Amino acid sequence: MNATPGSVALLDTLRAAVGPAHVLTPADGADLTAWEQDWRRRWRGRAAAVVRPGSTAEVAAVVRACAAHGTAIVPQGGNTGLVGGGVPDASGTQVLLGLQRLNRVRGLDAANLTLTAEAGCVLQALQHAAAAQGLLLPLSLAAEGSCTIGGNLATNAGGTQVLRWGNARELCLGLEVVTAAGEVWDGLSGLRKDNTGYDLRDLFIGSEGTLGVITAATLKLAPQPAAVTTALAACGSLDDCVALLNLARARLGAGLTGFEVMGRFALDLVAQHFPALPRPLPGAPWTVLLEQSDVEGEAPARERFERLLEAAIGQGSVADAVVAESLAQSRALWHLRESIPLAQVEEGLNVKHDISLPVSAIPRFCARTDALLRQRWPGVRLVNFGHLGDGNLHYNVQAPPGDDGPRFLAEHEHAVNQVVFDSVAQEGGSFSAEHGIGALKRDELAARKHPVALGLMRAIKTALDPQGLMNPGRVL
Ligand code: FAD
Ligand code: ZN
């Protein structure tokens, strides 16, 4: 935004709406890097201003003011998104709407098993709020210490508990939204059943800030399990991992709450960059992290786990296994899994893929795609890990050793994507499982989504945001 009379008037209106302390501009000498740069440091934009409202009414006032001036808005929660959707573009004309000050828990209804909270609440804070009442908010991801519930819903985040509880969408019963016109839709409700017309809630979930601003949500809770046990299993192949998954499903039923797979190279990167972390079962081609949540208690849960792993060893799908003996050991195993994204950051940029496949197709997909990539880019390294129980892999392609990561990305990202996404399509999979579209996969969406679906999406966008001011250039 240049210092035109219009933009000066807009800044004055924004200051009046949220208080001068909560409007930050480059002209005032404010350092906006934390808002303008994404978590992976892959995108760096420039905002006209960062505006930080403290209430839904203030969000509505900001949206109305921007609409009146034809100024685009980029909503942002914890800025942990991985597809370049929550940072401004390079124009210097967009208003970055920082939602972290909307951080109140509005209520917890223990008998109805629901929690209502504002969009800027950090996910971990909400997990703690539920736990304080002996309840569980079953949404969990490695970014939970900084991502916000608004961002989780705007991206329909997945994470490590989807296998049992579904993704963010399935945990959301109601929403409060500020529309592109600056109106407030109060759709907060703790109802499990409500068939009263089109589902507006599900339209805003996963819309990545392109249809409106989520300001609060009512979420489903569950009773805390009596015991949570964790195990690590070494498998020789992805076929073995799938066999273990099916055995675990059969033996543990709804008690199976986590099933994560980690390829050897992904764990090698963790060992290289975080050498202090323990590495049980070193050298396994594939390591599976299993989690069981039990209503009975520690001892029966452990026993069931041990019997499962013995059966898997007998069946030949598991070579070796360890069961965590304590909460601390269990945390250490999860820490290993959660350190993979961080180890990748240390290693340098890679070509990230967040793909979804039928579980049954995963071994075939990996064998074919690994070979195609290695043939075309000899020495290329595959950081393959993810939520195998949901058929969701983070199938990332790292430059050959010694190659410059950013250069490899600049030169080959498009071609690598075509190989991987064509292979995904061949198996009836999706090129975006849980991270969303943002700026990163917008062209892919235009190229690969069914034309009728794209037409309907564009019609919805035009109906809800006729001026095209809500996070423009993202998704569509
Ligand atoms: P932001 O990054 O701030 O924003 C994300 C998008 O949502 C942007 O398009 C933004 O405009 C929009 N947005 C944000 N808040 C609102 C709002 N209130 N209203 C409307 N639009 C809004 N994702 C998974 O699904 N599963 C994982 O396991 C997972 N693991 C991760 C691990 C790490 C270490 C990191 C860094 C990220 C991971 N992610 C994962 C990415 C995930 O998308 C985010 O962590 C999270 O869901 C985004 O929340 P946020 O508050 O940081 O949103
Ligand atoms: Zn993930």
Side-chain angles (χ1 to χ4, degrees):
M1 199 185 324
N2 301 317
T4 60
S7 63
V8 172
L10 172 58
L11 288 176
D12 285 346
T13 310
L14 295 175
R15 288 190 183 103
V18 303
H22 303 301
V23 178
L24 314 174
T25 69
D28 302 327
D31 179 5
L32 306 183
T33 313
W35 290 277
E36 291 177 333
Q37 182 168 272
D38 78 307
W39 187 85
R40 286 177 76 199
R41 298 188 217 115
R42 205 187 145 167
W43 286 270
R44 174 74 208 257
R46 220 157 50 82
V50 171
V51 181
R52 307 183 72 226
S55 68
T56 301
E58 289 185 8
V59 173
V62 170
V63 172
R64 281 196 301 272
C66 289
H69 285 80
T71 296
I73 294 176
V74 181
Q76 188 184 90
N79 195 14
T80 67
L82 298 174
V83 291
V87 289
D89 68 15
S91 66
T93 63
Q94 301 185 320
V95 162
L96 190 293
L97 186 69
L99 292 153
Q100 302 92 333
R101 290 182 61 232
L102 263 73
N103 59 3
R104 285 166 287 263
V105 173
R106 292 198 190 157
L108 190 153
D109 184 341
N112 194 43
L113 289 172
T114 51
L115 169 79
T116 299
E118 293 180 347
C121 289
V122 170
L123 175 57
Q124 198 169 57
L126 297 184
Q127 293 166 344
H128 289 163
Q133 304 288 321
L135 297 170
L136 176 75
L137 172 60
L139 180 64
S140 180
L141 44 145
E144 64 199 20
S146 20
C147 65
T148 63
I149 194 66
N152 300 146
L153 290 165
T155 58
N156 187 25
T160 55
Q161 308 257 302
V162 175
L163 179 65
R164 169 70 180 88
W165 299 105
N167 42 26
R169 182 188 303 282
E170 282 155 88
L171 298 172
C172 180
L173 294 171
L175 283 183
E176 179 187 84
V177 170
V178 170
T179 69
E183 293 171 323
V184 180
W185 169 48
D186 180 356
L188 291 174
S189 119
L191 303 177
R192 262 81 179 173
K193 294 188 171 181
D194 180 16
N195 284 347
T196 50
Y198 302 141
D199 198 328
L200 299 174
R201 173 196 66 201
D202 276 352
L203 209 47
F204 287 103
I205 296 175
S207 67
E208 302 183 47
T210 63
L211 299 180
V213 183
I214 297 171
T215 49
T218 300
L219 305 163
K220 274 186 210 166
L221 304 176
Q224 281 278 358
V228 179
T229 38
T230 314
L232 218 52
C235 294
S237 69
L238 277 170
D239 279 309
D240 288 343
C241 298
V242 173
L244 174 62
L245 172 64
N246 288 324
L247 192 66
R249 280 193 210 274
R251 297 249 177 155
L252 307 179
L256 181 66
T257 46
F259 196 97
E260 299 284 310
V261 73
M262 302 173 275
R264 176 159 47 198
F265 180 62
L267 286 177
D268 285 350
L269 278 187
V270 173
Q272 184 186 331
H273 293 290
F274 307 109
L277 292 183
R279 183 168 180 184
L281 311 176
W286 296 97
T287 304
V288 173
L289 195 165
L290 302 97
E291 184 191 83
Q292 183 194 182
S293 301
D294 198 281
V295 289
E296 287 176 48
E298 196 82 35
R302 280 187 59 88
E303 202 187 304
R304 214 171 305 130
F305 234 163
E306 279 159 9
R307 279 206 309 271
L308 163 71
L309 292 167
E310 277 162 21
I313 290 172
Q315 181 195 59
S317 57
V318 167
D320 197 3
V322 289
V323 180
E325 301 277 346
S326 63
L327 192 62
Q329 274 187 12
S330 171
R331 287 214 174 106
L333 297 184
W334 273 107
H335 192 51
L336 208 55
R337 161 66 184 86
E338 284 162 0
S339 299
I340 298 174
L342 303 168
Q344 289 181 101
V345 173
E346 295 297 317
E347 186 68 10
L349 283 179
N350 58 25
V351 188
K352 265 192 187 303
H353 303 112
D354 161 41
I355 57 177
S356 186
L357 293 154
V359 171
S360 52
I362 283 181
R364 188 173 56 229
F365 165 85
C366 289
R368 182 181 61 237
T369 319
D370 290 8
L372 287 171
L373 292 169
R374 291 200 167 111
Q375 198 180 355
R376 182 131 170 222
W377 292 278
V380 90
R381 297 169 297 165
L382 298 170
V383 192
N384 193 354
F385 66 100
H387 320 288
L388 186 71
D390 317 322
N392 176 192
L393 291 181
H394 297 311
Y395 184 85
N396 301 336
V397 182
Q398 195 98 36
D403 256 35
D404 180 56
R407 205 185 56 210
F408 181 82
L409 198 77
E411 287 175 7
H412 303 295
E413 180 174 31
H414 183 70
V416 169
N417 283 346
Q418 296 322 301
V419 170
V420 173
F421 295 152
D422 285 350
S423 199
V424 166
Q426 213 174 316
E427 299 291 354
S430 165
F431 62 89
S432 174
E434 60 173 9
H435 294 162
I437 300 297
L440 182 67
K441 296 178 194 155
R442 192 186 61 162
D443 295 345
E444 220 59 59
L445 187 84
R448 294 181 183 272
K449 193 87 182 170
H450 193 285
V452 174
L454 274 176
L456 292 171
M457 284 189 196
R458 291 194 179 113
I460 291 168
K461 170 74 176 172
T462 308
L464 270 64
D465 178 23
Q467 289 195 83
L469 296 177
M470 296 306 308
N471 215 358
R474 284 35 192 302
V475 184
L476 290 173

